[in-house]
Amino acid sequence: MAHSQIRLKILPSVRCLFDKLVQVKVDGLAPFKPVELRSKLVDDRGMIFKASASYKADETGRVDVSRAPSLGGSYTGVEPMGLFWAMSPDTSHSKLLKKNVLSPILVEIAAVSQETGELLISETVERGFMTEGMRRVPVQEGRIRGVLFIPPGKGPFPGIVDLYTLGGGLSEPRASLLANKGFAVLALAYYGYQDLPKMPSKLDLEYFEEAVTFLKNQPEVKGPGVGIISISHSGALALSMSSFLNGITATVCINGCIGNTAFPLHYKDIVIPPLPAVTKNVKITDSGLFCIHDFIPGPTLEKNQASLIPIERASSHFLFAVSEDDQNWNSALFAQHAAATLRNHGKEESCQVVTYPKAGHFLEVPHMPFCPSGFHAVVRNTVVFGGEPKAHSEAQLDLWERVQAFFKSHLDK
């Protein structure tokens, strides 16, 4: 069969936003012939991520990934986006890095003959982060460092502060994709970025207060309240902002801790010390990785009360997202404690907890490749993050819809 007859289609388009579903189809194959589909991308660090899956063409010589089951490879069964979320890095323990959201992530999709290993056809998909007309505004205002994403169209828009995880720097993918949904989003750095301290000795909540004030003062931002989205270490920062600062209406805490960790947190004359790590609780897995699930003790212990964030002070609504197989720390226990605290203070209506079985620590935007392990900035070693790829991917998809609905219901008044 001439290869000119073979067509690879990416529907609705080879250019789309990163969080969008696409349909991968191959036409013009020999009926019932086996074919391998492969995906590959190179991230901003030069790391290569790949997935592959075996399919069998139907009687018309077609493979439609949204309908046909994968018979083997990186995933099995009918998985419309399997070629994207099932990608894994060539270099173990690497997390996909996307620094510059002005350019898309390029994913090469190829069809290869399983009988001969010959490349039949390939196509490149552009997975972008910014819709046409969106503005990306670098922020250097007073002490504040970050990037503000403003949606296209006539504002004002509900405002959100996006806090990322431990390790410093700035992460823009989630903030930019949220802005596509009609929110003005400030991706806020708090260390290890531009002229901010490389490794701070403390974190100053007044810095975050300045950021909230800055966001509220933007003409494109609708008040009176703003939201916060956080993950991992920044969860306690989000809870602290909600507890001490005015005007936080909606707070998303993804696999966070209800106690302060890593750095002392200062606000005016208040100091919240970090929870003391329990080194003897670190375990080594069979594969030689660190498991730090119990590295941070339960903040509810009497001796750790000073590190607990006083969320009962908050007037925000809360969405706690919990991965049941989070091996970074016991986020399920932390969220349960937070919900109980709010309930005991008559604020049960302001808190919802959603749990995801078999999901790991880094719940990201939809279709982001699963990250089961990586380098940990505090432990200074490679740790396991937990989770199973398919369940984790489904959790990311579900949480993304919940986050948007949560912010719309509490900010878009």
Side-chain angles (χ1 to χ4, degrees), residues 72-286:
S74 303
Y75 59 93
T76 56
V78 179
E79 296 293 341
M81 293 298 287
L83 288 167
F84 298 88
W85 61 253
M87 285 184 169
S88 59
D90 275 2
T91 306
S92 297
H93 321 306
S94 299
K95 191 167 177 295
L96 191 146
L97 180 72
K98 182 59 182 161
K99 277 189 171 175
N100 179 8
V101 296
L102 293 170
S103 63
I105 284 180
L106 304 178
V107 183
E108 183 190 352
I109 307 287
V112 175
S113 166
Q114 276 202 308
E115 294 170 330
T116 65
E118 182 186 3
L119 174 66
L120 302 174
I121 192 168
S122 70
E123 182 69 83
T124 298
V125 188
E126 297 184 13
R127 309 278 289 161
F129 294 87
M130 295 177 59
T131 198
E132 195 173 335
M134 186 194 287
R135 283 186 289 151
R136 178 190 177 276
V137 184
V139 176
Q140 283 188 310
E141 187 82 19
R143 293 191 292 169
I144 304 308
R145 300 290 178 267
V147 172
L148 178 64
F149 292 95
I150 301 167
K154 189 166 163 37
F157 307 99
I160 298 170
V161 177
D162 183 308
L163 298 171
Y164 203 59
T165 188
L166 195 69
L170 188 69
S171 177
E172 300 180 20
R174 182 174 65 186
S176 57
L177 289 170
L178 258 183
N180 291 314
K181 310 297 183 184
F183 302 100
V185 187
L186 173 62
L188 182 66
Y190 53 99
Y191 74 98
Y193 180 76
Q194 293 182 353
D195 56 352
L196 294 174
K198 190 167 183 184
M199 184 56 76
S201 56
K202 64 174 188 177
L203 291 176
D204 179 1
L205 202 58
E206 288 167 56
Y207 172 83
F208 298 89
E209 189 168 39
E210 280 179 43
V212 169
T213 303
F214 166 81
L215 184 62
K216 284 181 180 176
N217 287 343
Q218 299 310 299
E220 299 89 353
V221 173
K222 176 200 282 190
V226 297
I228 311 172
I229 185 167
S230 62
I231 183 169
S232 192
H233 173 261
S234 68
L237 284 172
L239 298 181
S240 302
M241 292 165 72
S242 307
S243 303
F244 292 105
L245 311 182
N246 293 323
I248 311 294
T249 312
T251 306
V252 174
C253 183
I254 303 167
N255 288 329
C257 183
I258 48 162
N260 183 39
T261 59
F263 312 105
L265 186 64
H266 291 238
Y267 184 59
K268 297 179 178 170
D269 57 351
I270 299 166
V271 178
I272 301 179
L275 284 161
V278 184
T279 312
K280 68 175 172 41
N281 286 353
V282 176
K283 296 182 176 68
I284 308 291
T285 67
D286 293 342

Side-chain angles (χ1 to χ4, degrees), residues 309-322:
I309 311 298
I311 57 171
E312 64 277 4
R313 296 176 46 143
S315 52
S316 174
H317 287 82
F318 292 96
L319 172 61
F320 290 91
V322 171

Side-chain angles (χ1 to χ4, degrees), residues 5 15 45-46 77 130 142 151 167 182 200 218 226 281 290 322 333-334 355 361 364 411:
Q5 290 179 280
R15 290 186 186 87
R45 198 188 276 124
M130 295 177 59
Q218 299 310 299
V226 297
N281 286 353
F290 282 49
V322 171
L333 176 72
F334 300 152
T355 58
H361 184 60
E364 299 269 14
L411 297 178

